[in-house]
Short mmCIF file of all heavy atoms in Angstrom, two decimals:
data_model
loop_
_atom_site.label_atom_id
_atom_site.label_comp_id
_atom_site.label_asym_id
_atom_site.label_seq_id
_atom_site.Cartn_x
_atom_site.Cartn_y
_atom_site.Cartn_z
N ARG A 1 -66.35 262.98 242.95
CA ARG A 1 -66.44 261.86 242.03
C ARG A 1 -65.40 260.78 242.28
O ARG A 1 -65.70 259.59 242.18
CB ARG A 1 -66.34 262.36 240.59
CG ARG A 1 -67.57 263.14 240.14
CD ARG A 1 -67.41 263.70 238.75
NE ARG A 1 -66.39 264.74 238.70
CZ ARG A 1 -66.05 265.38 237.59
NH1 ARG A 1 -66.66 265.08 236.45
NH2 ARG A 1 -65.14 266.31 237.62
N SER A 2 -64.20 261.18 242.64
CA SER A 2 -63.14 260.19 242.88
C SER A 2 -63.27 259.51 244.24
O SER A 2 -62.65 258.48 244.50
CB SER A 2 -61.77 260.85 242.79
OG SER A 2 -61.59 261.73 243.88
N GLY A 3 -64.05 260.12 245.12
CA GLY A 3 -64.16 259.61 246.49
C GLY A 3 -63.06 260.13 247.39
O GLY A 3 -63.00 259.80 248.57
N GLY A 4 -62.17 260.98 246.86
CA GLY A 4 -61.02 261.44 247.61
C GLY A 4 -61.32 262.53 248.62
O GLY A 4 -60.46 262.84 249.46
N LEU A 5 -62.47 263.12 248.55
CA LEU A 5 -62.81 264.21 249.47
C LEU A 5 -64.31 264.16 249.76
O LEU A 5 -65.12 264.00 248.85
CB LEU A 5 -62.45 265.55 248.83
CG LEU A 5 -62.33 266.76 249.74
CD1 LEU A 5 -61.29 266.53 250.82
CD2 LEU A 5 -61.98 268.00 248.92
N ALA A 6 -64.64 264.30 251.03
CA ALA A 6 -66.03 264.27 251.44
C ALA A 6 -66.30 265.42 252.40
O ALA A 6 -65.40 265.89 253.10
CB ALA A 6 -66.38 262.94 252.10
N TYR A 7 -67.55 265.84 252.42
CA TYR A 7 -67.97 266.95 253.26
C TYR A 7 -69.17 266.48 254.07
O TYR A 7 -70.04 265.77 253.55
CB TYR A 7 -68.38 268.14 252.41
CG TYR A 7 -67.36 268.51 251.35
CD1 TYR A 7 -67.51 268.05 250.05
CD2 TYR A 7 -66.27 269.32 251.65
CE1 TYR A 7 -66.60 268.38 249.07
CE2 TYR A 7 -65.34 269.66 250.67
CZ TYR A 7 -65.52 269.19 249.38
OH TYR A 7 -64.60 269.52 248.41
N LEU A 8 -69.24 266.90 255.32
CA LEU A 8 -70.34 266.53 256.19
C LEU A 8 -70.89 267.74 256.91
O LEU A 8 -70.15 268.65 257.28
CB LEU A 8 -69.89 265.50 257.23
CG LEU A 8 -69.59 264.09 256.71
CD1 LEU A 8 -68.86 263.28 257.75
CD2 LEU A 8 -70.87 263.39 256.30
N ALA A 9 -72.20 267.75 257.11
CA ALA A 9 -72.83 268.79 257.91
C ALA A 9 -72.33 268.70 259.35
O ALA A 9 -72.02 267.61 259.85
CB ALA A 9 -74.34 268.64 257.87
N ALA A 10 -72.29 269.83 260.00
CA ALA A 10 -71.78 269.88 261.38
C ALA A 10 -72.59 268.97 262.31
O ALA A 10 -72.04 268.38 263.25
CB ALA A 10 -71.79 271.31 261.88
N SER A 11 -73.87 268.85 262.03
CA SER A 11 -74.75 268.08 262.91
C SER A 11 -74.47 266.58 262.87
O SER A 11 -74.89 265.86 263.78
CB SER A 11 -76.21 268.33 262.53
OG SER A 11 -76.44 267.96 261.19
N VAL A 12 -73.77 266.11 261.85
CA VAL A 12 -73.51 264.67 261.73
C VAL A 12 -72.03 264.34 261.74
O VAL A 12 -71.66 263.16 261.77
CB VAL A 12 -74.15 264.09 260.46
CG1 VAL A 12 -75.65 264.41 260.42
CG2 VAL A 12 -73.47 264.60 259.20
N LYS A 13 -71.19 265.34 261.73
CA LYS A 13 -69.75 265.11 261.70
C LYS A 13 -69.32 264.32 262.94
O LYS A 13 -69.76 264.61 264.05
CB LYS A 13 -69.01 266.45 261.61
CG LYS A 13 -67.59 266.35 261.12
CD LYS A 13 -67.01 267.73 260.82
CE LYS A 13 -67.68 268.36 259.62
NZ LYS A 13 -67.07 269.66 259.26
N GLY A 14 -68.49 263.32 262.71
CA GLY A 14 -68.06 262.46 263.81
C GLY A 14 -68.96 261.27 264.02
O GLY A 14 -68.58 260.33 264.73
N ARG A 15 -70.15 261.29 263.42
CA ARG A 15 -71.09 260.16 263.56
C ARG A 15 -71.38 259.50 262.21
O ARG A 15 -71.58 258.28 262.15
CB ARG A 15 -72.40 260.65 264.16
CG ARG A 15 -72.26 261.26 265.53
CD ARG A 15 -73.63 261.56 266.17
NE ARG A 15 -74.40 262.53 265.40
CZ ARG A 15 -75.60 262.29 264.90
NH1 ARG A 15 -76.18 261.12 265.07
NH2 ARG A 15 -76.24 263.24 264.23
N PHE A 16 -71.42 260.28 261.16
CA PHE A 16 -71.74 259.77 259.83
C PHE A 16 -70.49 259.76 258.96
O PHE A 16 -69.59 260.60 259.11
CB PHE A 16 -72.79 260.63 259.14
CG PHE A 16 -74.17 260.58 259.73
CD1 PHE A 16 -74.43 259.98 260.95
CD2 PHE A 16 -75.24 261.14 259.03
CE1 PHE A 16 -75.70 259.93 261.48
CE2 PHE A 16 -76.53 261.11 259.55
CZ PHE A 16 -76.75 260.51 260.78
N THR A 17 -70.45 258.83 258.04
CA THR A 17 -69.36 258.73 257.06
C THR A 17 -69.95 258.51 255.68
O THR A 17 -70.87 257.70 255.52
CB THR A 17 -68.43 257.56 257.39
OG1 THR A 17 -67.93 257.70 258.74
CG2 THR A 17 -67.24 257.52 256.44
N ILE A 18 -69.42 259.21 254.72
CA ILE A 18 -69.82 259.02 253.33
C ILE A 18 -68.72 258.27 252.59
O ILE A 18 -67.53 258.56 252.79
CB ILE A 18 -70.05 260.37 252.64
CG1 ILE A 18 -71.24 261.09 253.24
CG2 ILE A 18 -70.30 260.17 251.15
CD1 ILE A 18 -71.50 262.43 252.61
N SER A 19 -69.12 257.36 251.75
CA SER A 19 -68.14 256.67 250.90
C SER A 19 -68.81 256.31 249.58
O SER A 19 -70.02 256.52 249.40
CB SER A 19 -67.62 255.40 251.60
OG SER A 19 -68.67 254.49 251.84
N ARG A 20 -68.03 255.80 248.68
CA ARG A 20 -68.57 255.38 247.40
C ARG A 20 -67.72 254.27 246.83
O ARG A 20 -66.51 254.18 247.12
CB ARG A 20 -68.66 256.55 246.42
CG ARG A 20 -67.32 257.17 246.06
CD ARG A 20 -67.53 258.50 245.33
NE ARG A 20 -68.20 258.29 244.05
CZ ARG A 20 -68.84 259.27 243.40
NH1 ARG A 20 -68.93 260.48 243.92
NH2 ARG A 20 -69.41 259.02 242.24
N ASP A 21 -68.32 253.42 246.04
CA ASP A 21 -67.62 252.38 245.31
C ASP A 21 -68.02 252.54 243.85
O ASP A 21 -69.09 252.08 243.44
CB ASP A 21 -68.01 251.00 245.86
CG ASP A 21 -67.21 249.87 245.23
OD1 ASP A 21 -66.69 250.05 244.11
OD2 ASP A 21 -67.11 248.81 245.86
N ASN A 22 -67.18 253.22 243.11
CA ASN A 22 -67.53 253.51 241.71
C ASN A 22 -67.61 252.23 240.88
O ASN A 22 -68.39 252.16 239.92
CB ASN A 22 -66.54 254.48 241.11
CG ASN A 22 -66.72 255.90 241.64
OD1 ASN A 22 -67.79 256.24 242.16
ND2 ASN A 22 -65.68 256.72 241.54
N ALA A 23 -66.83 251.23 241.24
CA ALA A 23 -66.90 249.97 240.51
C ALA A 23 -68.25 249.29 240.70
O ALA A 23 -68.73 248.59 239.80
CB ALA A 23 -65.77 249.04 240.96
N GLU A 24 -68.85 249.49 241.88
CA GLU A 24 -70.16 248.92 242.17
C GLU A 24 -71.30 249.89 241.88
O GLU A 24 -72.47 249.57 242.10
CB GLU A 24 -70.22 248.50 243.64
CG GLU A 24 -69.28 247.35 243.99
CD GLU A 24 -69.68 246.06 243.30
OE1 GLU A 24 -70.90 245.83 243.10
OE2 GLU A 24 -68.77 245.30 242.93
N ASN A 25 -70.95 251.09 241.41
CA ASN A 25 -71.97 252.10 241.08
C ASN A 25 -72.86 252.43 242.28
O ASN A 25 -74.06 252.64 242.12
CB ASN A 25 -72.84 251.62 239.92
CG ASN A 25 -72.49 252.32 238.62
OD1 ASN A 25 -71.50 253.03 238.52
ND2 ASN A 25 -73.33 252.12 237.62
N THR A 26 -72.25 252.48 243.46
CA THR A 26 -73.03 252.68 244.68
C THR A 26 -72.32 253.66 245.61
O THR A 26 -71.10 253.62 245.75
CB THR A 26 -73.23 251.34 245.42
OG1 THR A 26 -73.86 250.41 244.53
CG2 THR A 26 -74.12 251.53 246.63
N ALA A 27 -73.11 254.53 246.22
CA ALA A 27 -72.63 255.43 247.26
C ALA A 27 -73.26 255.01 248.59
O ALA A 27 -74.33 254.39 248.61
CB ALA A 27 -72.99 256.87 246.94
N TYR A 28 -72.58 255.34 249.67
CA TYR A 28 -73.02 254.88 250.98
C TYR A 28 -73.04 256.04 251.98
O TYR A 28 -72.25 256.98 251.89
CB TYR A 28 -72.08 253.80 251.51
CG TYR A 28 -71.97 252.60 250.61
CD1 TYR A 28 -70.91 252.48 249.72
CD2 TYR A 28 -72.93 251.59 250.65
CE1 TYR A 28 -70.81 251.37 248.88
CE2 TYR A 28 -72.83 250.49 249.82
CZ TYR A 28 -71.77 250.38 248.94
OH TYR A 28 -71.68 249.29 248.11
N LEU A 29 -73.92 255.90 252.95
CA LEU A 29 -73.94 256.79 254.10
C LEU A 29 -74.00 255.90 255.34
O LEU A 29 -75.02 255.28 255.61
CB LEU A 29 -75.15 257.73 254.05
CG LEU A 29 -75.24 258.72 255.20
CD1 LEU A 29 -74.11 259.74 255.14
CD2 LEU A 29 -76.59 259.46 255.17
N GLN A 30 -72.88 255.82 256.04
CA GLN A 30 -72.82 255.07 257.28
C GLN A 30 -73.19 256.00 258.42
O GLN A 30 -72.57 257.05 258.61
CB GLN A 30 -71.41 254.51 257.51
CG GLN A 30 -71.23 253.77 258.81
CD GLN A 30 -72.02 252.48 258.86
OE1 GLN A 30 -72.04 251.71 257.91
NE2 GLN A 30 -72.68 252.23 259.99
N MET A 31 -74.21 255.60 259.17
CA MET A 31 -74.72 256.44 260.24
C MET A 31 -74.57 255.71 261.57
O MET A 31 -75.17 254.64 261.77
CB MET A 31 -76.19 256.78 259.99
CG MET A 31 -76.44 257.40 258.62
SD MET A 31 -78.14 257.94 258.38
CE MET A 31 -79.00 256.39 258.44
N ASN A 32 -73.78 256.27 262.45
CA ASN A 32 -73.56 255.69 263.78
C ASN A 32 -74.06 256.64 264.85
O ASN A 32 -74.31 257.82 264.58
CB ASN A 32 -72.07 255.43 263.99
CG ASN A 32 -71.49 254.45 263.00
OD1 ASN A 32 -72.17 253.53 262.53
ND2 ASN A 32 -70.23 254.65 262.64
N SER A 33 -74.21 256.12 266.05
CA SER A 33 -74.66 256.94 267.19
C SER A 33 -75.90 257.75 266.84
O SER A 33 -75.96 258.96 267.10
CB SER A 33 -73.53 257.87 267.65
OG SER A 33 -72.38 257.13 268.00
N LEU A 34 -76.86 257.09 266.26
CA LEU A 34 -78.05 257.79 265.78
C LEU A 34 -78.84 258.40 266.92
O LEU A 34 -78.93 257.84 268.02
CB LEU A 34 -78.91 256.84 264.96
CG LEU A 34 -78.38 256.58 263.55
CD1 LEU A 34 -78.98 255.31 262.96
CD2 LEU A 34 -78.69 257.78 262.65
#
């Protein structure tokens, strides 16, 4: 909830990033090297 800790599946670790902006009420999934 705070955004202070994130977990990723092994298959996407190093390529994907999770983040959130609670002020904007939005969560994100950045996907690179698809």
Side-chain angles (χ1 to χ4, degrees):
R1 290 176 293 179
S2 69
L5 198 58
Y7 311 96
L8 289 167
S11 59
V12 305
K13 199 169 292 184
R15 300 187 298 121
F16 291 11
T17 304
I18 294 179
S19 62
R20 63 192 296 160
D21 186 336
N22 287 340
E24 294 294 326
N25 255 9
T26 304
Y28 302 97
L29 181 67
Q30 177 67 45
M31 305 186 295
N32 299 328
S33 303
L34 283 161

